Amino acid sequence: MSFDDTSAASSPADRATSDLSRTSQVPAAPDTAWFTHDRLGLFVHWGLYALGARHEWVMNRERMSVADYERYAAHFDPDLFDAHEWAAAAKAAGMRYVVLTTKHHDGFCLWDSALTEYTVMRTPFGRDVVAEFVAAVREAGLKVGFYHSLLDWHHPHFPIDGHHPLRDDPNVAELNAGRDVAVYREYLHGQVRELLTNYGRIDYLFFDFSYGADEATPVWGGKGADDWGARDLLGMARRLQPDILVNDRLGIPGDFVTPEQYQPDRPLEVDGQPVLWEACQTLNGSWGYDRDNTDYKSPELLIRMLIDGVSKNGNLLLNVGPNGRGAFDPHAEQALAGLGEWMRLHGRAIYGAGVSAHTPPPDVRYTQRGNRLYAHLFAWPFETLHLPGLADEVEYAQLLNDGSELKMRVIDPNATAQNLTQGGQPAGTLTLTLPVRRPDVAVPVIEMFLR
Ligand code: GLC
């Protein structure tokens, strides 16, 4: 079989979705309440690629050899790294959990692993970043998450495939002849064991990722559940950390689904059943620090994305890519500060909130928490806001940013609009009177107390 034969029935990707791996059940996480409550987390992509400063896939994109790429390890000395500052920034932004890349696809390990020399301990920096991260995040009262790459472009037994930096090497078949994915699998399991044993309670684990022939852009030599030993890996994670939540990228179902860089248009379901989900989003399209990429989302857009997700029962895991000195760049700082300012006043429309059974009018998103219904106004109308179906439902309404009452009325559906008189709305419509001046917040929110 040639390596670009994507149609071969026995490809690992096919095996990844085989009935065997789908039907064997590993128990689900026992308690997911904190996750649906907290809604907002910080993703941190940090590793050697921060020095390249041109996307975390730079090794792949530039087809770098291991020897080439190791120049970053030789120069990794992030003197501004302070896990307490990271945790404080996340907390101030209203985030309740933080997820760090322990290892990305480049294979470089941010912790003191006994299973490889390719770790942060062998760089000029020489400090266990994962240990400092866990301690600081916990101390800040936030939940601790790990991202761990299933791909490993540094490991000598990870078979070269269509995503690998050496994919175009003329001797790829020869290079692969000596590689045994079983050896890599053992290493993968051993490292996950270290991470889930040596750092206390870990709340969340994001494996990344499975891929293969059945994708829009097929990847030759793709890998999935069987290559990773997914069920054993998930089972081990559950044994070592009984409360951990694990994502869905092992090639078998996990505890939550992970839409990446898009906003689902409705609450997500798998096989007709609602599922927990979390959108992971970047500030500028890149996960790792990307110096010359200025495609930044505005803080206001990020806030809308958070609201939009929660209105569909989803979480937002918002990424920052600290730079080669271990610091957040000014854009990231501004984004987090903007989020924090909004969350300080509007957190109660987000934490513990989710989809509402009521349907909002255009330019509005609803989130609901118990008998509190929140209308997030993506556009500010002139003076009146008509809310279909709520006429008999709402006891009291106020602007959330300052707790100021909003007058409510129900306009006679038969009234005709003329001169100073507003026309009737469909029966059951509640009409609120808003101030002409939009409150000076990124997204104004109306809090309604339902009867
Ligand atoms: C991906 C990418 C990656 C990023 C991740 C975040 O699959 O390979 O670089 O870490 O998703 O979700």
Side-chain angles (χ1 to χ4, degrees):
M1 178 185 126
S2 83
F3 282 102
D4 56 6
D5 182 2
T6 52
S7 62
S10 63
S11 77
D14 285 340
R15 279 186 276 122
T17 52
S18 69
D19 288 349
L20 184 75
S21 40
R22 276 195 183 281
T23 50
S24 303
Q25 292 299 321
V26 177
D31 181 12
T32 56
W34 71 265
F35 184 73
T36 37
H37 176 272
D38 289 356
R39 290 299 185 208
L40 177 60
L42 179 69
F43 213 172
V44 183
H45 272 70
W46 199 47
L48 295 183
Y49 43 82
L51 276 64
R54 48 189 194 278
H55 201 277
E56 78 282 357
W57 276 55
V58 61
M59 187 178 177
N60 154 293
R61 289 179 170 186
E62 299 181 15
R63 293 165 175 75
M64 278 188 220
S65 67
V66 160
D68 261 2
Y69 193 81
E70 282 180 346
R71 68 179 180 270
Y72 300 133
H75 295 97
F76 187 77
D77 196 8
D79 57 332
L80 300 180
F81 168 69
D82 180 345
H84 288 98
E85 281 183 14
W86 291 9
K91 191 171 185 170
M95 291 154 163
R96 295 282 174 88
Y97 58 107
V98 190
V99 181
L100 172 69
T101 49
T102 50
K103 177 191 89 164
H104 204 261
H105 310 333
D106 61 5
F108 178 74
C109 302
L110 280 181
W111 80 101
D112 185 6
S113 173
L115 302 178
T116 177
E117 299 197 340
Y118 200 43
T119 79
V120 66
M121 306 312 286
R122 303 290 179 121
T123 66
F125 192 55
R127 279 157 52 186
D128 185 328
V129 168
V130 169
E132 293 185 29
F133 165 84
V134 169
V137 171
R138 242 310 146 255
E139 205 180 299
L142 307 175
K143 294 259 187 316
V144 176
F146 289 159
Y147 162 108
H148 195 74
S149 176
L150 300 166
L151 289 71
D152 192 318
W153 299 329
H154 186 271
H155 197 281
H157 278 287
F158 186 87
I160 297 165
D161 57 33
H163 278 330
H164 196 282
L166 298 183
R167 62 196 172 282
D168 297 331
D169 192 297
N171 300 319
V172 96
E174 257 166 68
L175 290 173
N176 261 342
R179 292 178 181 231
D180 181 357
V181 74
V183 178
Y184 171 68
R185 184 162 54 239
E186 203 179 316
Y187 172 79
L188 171 66
H189 288 220
Q191 288 207 316
V192 171
R193 181 186 304 279
E194 286 183 339
L195 288 165
L196 299 186
T197 306
N198 300 339
Y199 297 92
R201 183 182 154 132
I202 305 302
D203 303 287
Y204 169 117
L205 185 55
F206 188 120
F207 286 117
D208 196 33
F209 59 93
S210 300
Y211 53 103
D214 53 349
E215 285 166 42
T217 318
V219 182
W220 60 264
K223 297 176 181 60
D226 289 352
D227 300 287
W228 318 133
R231 275 170 289 124
D232 290 348
L233 199 52
L234 185 56
M236 176 177 72
R238 294 257 191 267
R239 271 196 310 284
L240 296 174
Q241 298 279 345
D243 294 313
I244 201 165
L245 264 69
V246 182
N247 75 337
D248 65 336
R249 295 192 182 180
L250 273 172
I252 55 173
D255 299 314
F256 61 98
V257 173
T258 54
E260 175 176 335
Q261 303 225 41
Y262 70 88
Q263 290 287 113
D265 65 347
R266 71 198 78 174
L268 287 181
E269 297 183 346
V270 171
D271 300 331
Q273 296 302 313
V275 286
L276 297 189
W277 65 268
E278 173 196 69
C280 47
Q281 299 284 2
T282 62
L283 294 177
N284 63 354
S286 175
W287 299 94
Y289 179 61
D290 196 6
R291 184 190 59 206
D292 303 332
N293 173 342
T294 55
D295 212 2
Y296 290 104
K297 300 173 185 75
S298 68
E300 187 190 315
L301 176 56
L302 295 166
I303 291 163
R304 287 174 184 222
M305 289 161 68
L306 167 66
I307 295 165
D308 182 64
V310 175
S311 79
K312 290 156 189 160
N313 259 350
N315 285 24
L316 172 64
L317 185 64
L318 182 63
N319 182 73
V320 300
N323 63 25
R325 296 187 65 188
F328 292 3
D329 67 85
H331 290 281
E333 282 174 351
Q334 278 162 26
L336 295 189
L339 255 175
E341 211 177 296
W342 187 84
M343 284 295 285
R344 189 175 68 81
L345 297 176
H346 302 94
R348 72 190 205 213
I350 297 294
Y351 302 125
V355 69
S356 170
H358 299 287
T359 306
D363 299 326
V364 177
R365 298 288 184 284
Y366 282 160
T367 61
Q368 189 169 342
R369 181 171 52 82
N371 73 336
R372 308 275 181 107
L373 177 63
Y374 297 94
H376 303 253
L377 273 52
F378 284 11
W380 188 250
F382 168 57
E383 275 195 341
T384 45
L385 180 66
H386 303 294
L387 302 173
L390 292 185
D392 299 323
E393 308 286 328
V394 180
E395 174 188 291
Y396 186 81
Q398 61 183 358
L399 280 172
L400 184 52
N401 61 288
D402 65 354
S404 59
E405 181 181 15
L406 293 175
K407 291 225 166 119
M408 311 192 291
R409 65 195 157 123
V410 178
I411 304 171
D412 175 2
N414 300 315
T416 318
Q418 48 172 302
N419 293 358
L420 293 170
T421 316
Q422 183 131 17
Q425 295 292 310
T429 301
L430 175 72
T431 297
L432 300 181
T433 305
L434 305 181
V436 171
R437 278 182 72 112
R438 181 184 183 283
D440 190 17
V441 293
V443 177
V445 178
I446 295 166
E447 182 177 56
M448 290 173 275
F449 296 71
L450 300 178
R451 286 183 204 285

